[in-house]
Amino acid sequence: MKQVTYAQLNKVLSSLGFSIRVVTVDNKLRVYEHKETGAFLPLAFRPDDETVLPHHMAAIQGTLKVYGIADPLDFAAELQEAS
């Protein structure tokens, strides 16, 4: 898969119905929420222009699969279009 930035990832997740916000608890987090399914995924904040960390991508893909939000192949295709 081609390298994907957090900005591109946010665009695709937003199109799938996720809201994205940045919060500071103990650390700065990027929080993804899908209200329709209840999916909630807090990840350590990385700048928008950075490449998505592999473990962040795995967490997102797992969440999409577990909650039935998007098929992994469809999600990968959307990321390719966004990049």
Side-chain angles (χ1 to χ4, degrees), residues 7-76:
Q8 293 163 327
L9 177 67
N10 291 345
K11 180 179 176 184
V12 172
L13 289 177
S14 182
S15 76
L16 292 173
F18 279 86
S19 62
I20 298 130
R21 59 192 169 97
V22 175
V23 298
T24 302
V25 183
D26 292 328
N27 297 316
K28 196 171 184 181
L29 302 172
R30 195 180 298 255
V31 178
Y32 298 92
E33 292 181 84
H34 192 266
K35 293 200 188 287
E36 186 178 316
T37 63
F40 177 84
L41 186 62
L43 299 176
F45 181 85
R46 306 302 307 157
D48 284 343
D49 60 348
E50 276 193 20
T51 300
V52 176
L53 296 171
H55 60 283
H56 284 183
M57 186 62 76
I60 291 164
Q61 290 171 327
T63 299
L64 294 176
K65 185 176 181 179
V66 167
Y67 284 90
I69 297 167
D71 176 86
L73 294 176
D74 292 339
F75 178 65

